[in-house]
Amino acid sequence: MLRKGINVINKRGLYYIVEDGNKPLRFKPWLGDTFSFLYDFIMEKSIFPRKFGGDINRHYEILAEELKGVHEKRVLELAAGSGSAVNFLPNDNHYTGTDISPGLLKKALKNFDNADFKKAQFYVTSASDLPFDDNLFDIVLCILSLNFFDDVNKIFQEIKRVTTPAAAFICSVPVPERKKIQSKIRGILYSEEELERTCRESGMTYKNIPAENGALLYFRAIMQ
Ligand SMILES: C[S@@+](CC[C@H](N)C(=O)[O-])C[C@H]1O[C@@H](n2cnc3c(N)ncnc32)[C@H](O)[C@@H]1O
């Protein structure tokens, strides 16, 4: 399951990559780590209405519709945060959640447990350098996070590497052309055209998911 030469330790349910001397690899804290106890509240009451001009329940509905037929698959989520996937992913899947924030992943662990996922594991890792072997996952999710990554090309290459042929990448991300509210959205906003091109250049076939929810774009890309 892990790339050759990668070692991990499990601390209170989360896997950490270890380097020489068994020291867990840590990442630069993201705002969400310090405020992880408030994260879900901030997303629902502030980010969705005030930054995206959208609705969190509509967001879950769109993703649940897209994932309703997904059962017993090996699902990887990049930047899983506090585990919002329990709101749209059927709980019989074999789920691997990753994020740089241990604070948020601890919340995710609880949420997945409460949602009765029998096979869920969580790794503290960056999306741009995944510890996993090639050809492992049937589905990759990246929800509301692509704008936080500096190098999307690298992320898309990693997605291609860790997925099986014909696997699906399902993504939701704010895009500049759908943004109607003045308030600034953090990170780098890529347009739908740029995302479609990056998919194509990474060996994926891009397909828009026709759904409206403020600044958010939903798409599915299939590995060629
Ligand atoms: C807005 S949150 C979205 C979380 C979750 N997917 C959701 O829908 O609620 C963005 C997430 O990206 C994570 N993140 C930022 N940079 C990352 C990176 N390079 N690799 C992995 N996760 C990262 C943050 O820790 C945070 O959990």
Side-chain angles (χ1 to χ4, degrees):
M1 159 107 191
L2 295 178
R3 256 164 44 208
K4 215 167 161 223
I6 299 271
N7 295 310
V8 293
I9 50 166
N10 190 309
K11 274 178 127 184
R12 294 198 202 110
L14 303 186
Y15 288 100
Y16 293 79
I17 298 168
V18 289
E19 297 180 310
D20 300 339
N22 259 8
K23 206 167 158 254
L25 192 58
R26 299 266 177 189
F27 299 88
K28 197 163 161 254
W30 182 74
L31 180 73
D33 206 19
T34 323
F35 293 97
S36 51
F37 71 103
L38 281 174
Y39 176 82
D40 295 332
F41 181 81
I42 293 171
M43 287 307 281
E44 181 180 352
K45 304 290 184 205
S46 174
I47 305 288
F48 263 86
R50 296 199 199 148
K51 300 255 180 196
F52 298 157
D55 178 80
I56 201 165
N57 292 316
R58 172 85 189 112
H59 174 68
Y60 293 150
E61 257 171 43
I62 295 164
L63 291 168
E65 178 62 25
E66 200 56 29
L67 290 158
K68 67 179 182 206
V70 173
H71 294 283
E72 298 185 1
K73 299 285 186 205
R74 288 162 302 170
V75 178
L76 170 68
E77 184 165 18
L78 305 179
S82 64
S84 70
V86 297
N87 295 294
F88 49 81
L89 181 69
N91 68 1
D92 57 356
N93 286 290
H94 300 207
Y95 175 88
T96 302
T98 62
D99 202 288
I100 55 170
S101 163
L104 288 172
L105 282 186
K106 281 177 197 160
K107 288 196 77 178
L109 186 70
K110 274 197 197 133
N111 282 331
F112 273 72
D113 204 29
N114 292 340
D116 209 19
F117 273 75
K118 301 279 189 262
K119 290 183 177 152
Q121 50 182 356
F122 300 87
Y123 283 81
V124 178
T125 180
S126 168
S128 60
D129 187 16
L130 297 169
F132 311 115
D133 251 336
D134 299 359
N135 296 309
L136 269 187
F137 298 98
D138 308 305
I139 309 266
V140 176
L141 306 173
C142 183
I143 309 299
L144 312 180
S145 303
L146 215 55
N147 47 312
F148 291 97
F149 305 149
D150 306 331
D151 185 353
V152 283
N153 287 295
K154 179 77 182 79
I155 304 283
F156 280 46
Q157 281 163 22
E158 276 295 79
I159 295 171
K160 188 82 185 4
R161 182 182 70 74
V162 299
T163 46
T164 54
F169 169 44
I170 293 166
C171 184
S172 158
V173 61
V175 290
E177 62 273 27
R178 291 190 180 201
K179 190 173 169 298
K180 300 283 179 290
I181 290 180
Q182 281 299 323
S183 170
K184 184 164 165 41
I185 296 176
R186 287 187 58 182
I188 307 164
L189 296 198
Y190 302 97
S191 68
E192 180 169 12
E193 200 185 326
E194 287 171 309
L195 293 166
E196 185 171 359
R197 189 174 54 240
T198 310
C199 284
R200 202 172 45 245
E201 288 171 358
S202 310
M204 306 178 199
T205 308
Y206 175 93
K207 196 164 173 278
N208 173 287
I209 297 171
E212 297 285 324
N213 196 9
L216 298 176
L217 167 74
Y218 297 81
F219 72 88
R220 165 187 284 263
I222 304 295
M223 307 305 136
Q224 292 161 0

